[in-house]
Amino acid sequence: DAGITQSPRYKITETGRQVTLMCHQTWSHSYMFWYRQDLGHGLRLIYYSAAADITDKGEVPDGYVVSRSKTENFPLTLESATRSQTSVYFCASSARGAEASYEQYFGPGTRLTVT
Amino acid sequence: RKEVEQDPGPFNVPEGATVAFNCTYSNSASQSFFWYRQDCRKEPKLLMSVYSSGNEDGRFTAQLNRASQYISLLIRDSKLSDSATYLCVVNVWNDYKLSFGAGTTVTVRA
């Protein structure tokens, strides 16, 4: 089915381990985003990408790495997971719409727990 | 100052009631405005775009006031299924990143 998917949906890992969260979209949207959402903080932008091989830091990039070798995929890697990275992670994508609007469409999220 | 500010609520209303709430934005260059809905930390979903002239979608009405830099959402004849967190979202013209408010929680009771 067309849309945006994330995997895994749930992940428990230990402190210090490397974890990769996957995001895949079938709309050929140029723009992709990673957010984390914690109670009391709302959505916070981690990294974003305007196209394949173009990525940039958002509000809270420390401890994360991204890549985008293909338009449809935007994986997020936690290089050495810490307990403070326990969160719900949402991937989103968008394209330039009418009147230069850029509404985003979100994946179902990955609930990550770092023990 | 946050780019987008919302009253977190919660707004507790009985079924059938009307509920309205606002959000304010700080960047006068903001061009596009949206309301998203989020259920129980599931993914945010686009509820409606907000146009300069205001717009309706069924029981939902959105308004934009550029002079005072706020947008509003009104829900008429509230249903239990309207219980959710409503996110106010803004972006500056031709900037593909969006600014999200922290959300307003609405709880509709039977």
Side-chain angles (χ1 to χ4, degrees):
Chain A
D1 288 342
I4 182 166
T5 56
Q6 294 183 235
S7 62
R9 295 292 312 279
Y10 302 90
K11 177 74 176 178
I12 300 174
T13 192
E14 296 177 344
T15 299
R17 290 194 181 262
Q18 184 179 82
V19 177
T20 296
L21 310 184
M22 304 301 293
C23 179
H24 176 78
Q25 53 102 356
T26 60
W27 292 307
S28 299
H29 282 173
S30 295
Y31 308 104
M32 296 188 74
F33 309 84
W34 274 107
Y35 296 89
R36 62 178 289 174
Q37 188 174 41
D38 308 289
L39 288 173
H41 283 281
L43 287 164
R44 291 187 289 176
L45 182 63
I46 305 171
Y47 268 96
Y48 57 99
S49 170
D53 297 322
I54 300 175
T55 62
D56 211 342
K57 296 178 180 179
E59 180 186 353
V60 289
D62 293 344
Y64 304 95
V65 174
V66 294
S67 62
R68 196 166 175 207
S69 57
K70 293 184 177 181
T71 299
E72 61 267 30
N73 296 325
F74 191 37
L76 176 74
T77 298
L78 287 66
E79 294 184 295
S80 178
T82 65
R83 290 195 182 90
S84 65
Q85 293 177 310
T86 293
S87 188
V88 179
Y89 291 85
F90 290 108
C91 179
S93 70
S94 72
R96 190 179 191 277
E99 300 180 4
S101 67
Y102 291 90
E103 55 265 32
Q104 292 178 13
Y105 298 90
F106 285 79
T110 294
R111 291 184 180 272
L112 176 68
T113 301
V114 183
T115 62
Chain B
R1 183 183 174 187
K2 292 183 180 178
E3 289 192 51
V4 181
E5 300 210 51
Q6 296 185 247
D7 181 345
F11 288 76
N12 294 304
V13 300
E15 268 188 298
T18 296
V19 59
F21 42 90
N22 296 337
C23 95
T24 58
Y25 58 94
S26 60
N27 191 337
S28 59
S30 298
Q31 182 72 18
S32 299
F33 308 90
F34 311 97
W35 284 104
Y36 277 69
R37 171 195 169 121
Q38 187 174 27
D39 296 289
C40 295
R41 298 185 83 201
K42 292 188 176 179
E43 74 271 28
K45 292 183 178 179
L46 179 64
L47 178 67
M48 58 196 302
S49 300
V50 185
Y51 303 121
S52 296
S53 56
N55 49 299
E56 277 190 22
D57 184 358
R59 298 180 293 106
F60 297 82
T61 300
Q63 296 282 350
L64 168 63
N65 185 316
R66 287 190 185 275
S68 300
Q69 295 185 199
Y70 74 86
I71 67 173
S72 64
L73 183 66
L74 181 146
I75 307 173
R76 286 187 301 277
D77 188 23
S78 299
K79 311 292 185 190
L80 294 175
S81 57
D82 295 332
S83 297
T85 297
Y86 293 86
L87 306 178
C88 174
V89 183
V90 173
N91 89 313
V92 174
W93 188 84
N94 220 26
D95 181 356
Y96 57 89
K97 298 188 301 298
L98 302 180
S99 296
F100 288 82
T104 296
T105 298
V106 172
T107 302
V108 182
R109 63 183 187 273

